[in-house]
Amino acid sequence: MISVAGELDASNAEQLTDYVQRCADYCEWLVLDLNELEFMGTAGFSALKTITERCAQAMIYCTTVSGVAVARLLRICDPANTVPTAPSVAVALGAVQGLRPAQQVL
């Protein structure tokens, strides 16, 4: 689980994308907790889309817990709900409990 607080905009969106990518290289699921973000700009939305797409390509379960700022932007920028979201961290973590671990190929 990765938690982000403060602001996510053009000044730090690429850093978040890179950090999440490095973390995702070592996991089977990812919960991105954005509940404490006070502001998210369109660059943050682009970063979120990139993270979601990369996780899907790598077959990593990924969901986002969106707070008020993120939910507002998702309503505008993602009306088709392509970014998977969960209403709370508890719900997001409950969803990953039911996932079967990937089998290791020897």
Side-chain angles (χ1 to χ4, degrees):
M1 186 170 94
I2 298 173
S3 298
V4 182
E7 298 183 355
L8 182 58
D9 55 25
S11 70
N12 57 8
E14 187 175 341
Q15 290 173 327
L16 176 65
T17 303
D18 292 343
Y19 177 75
V20 171
Q21 181 65 47
R22 286 192 309 273
C23 293
D25 287 343
Y26 300 98
C27 65
E28 295 176 5
W29 56 266
L30 171 69
V31 173
L32 191 57
D33 179 10
L34 304 181
N35 195 40
E36 295 297 320
L37 277 182
E38 297 168 11
F39 173 80
M40 182 166 149
T42 55
F45 173 71
S46 293
L48 190 55
K49 286 289 289 180
T50 298
I51 291 166
T52 300
E53 290 166 1
R54 287 181 182 173
C55 284
Q57 290 170 353
M59 296 177 54
I60 298 169
Y61 172 85
C62 176
T63 192
T64 301
V65 178
S66 61
V68 175
V70 177
R72 184 179 317 121
L73 190 64
L74 288 178
R75 277 194 305 275
I76 296 166
C77 296
D78 189 29
N81 297 315
T82 60
V83 174
T85 60
S88 69
V89 170
V91 169
L93 292 176
V96 299
Q97 295 246 331
L99 296 177
R100 290 185 10 213
Q103 292 193 325
Q104 197 173 29
V105 177
L106 300 176

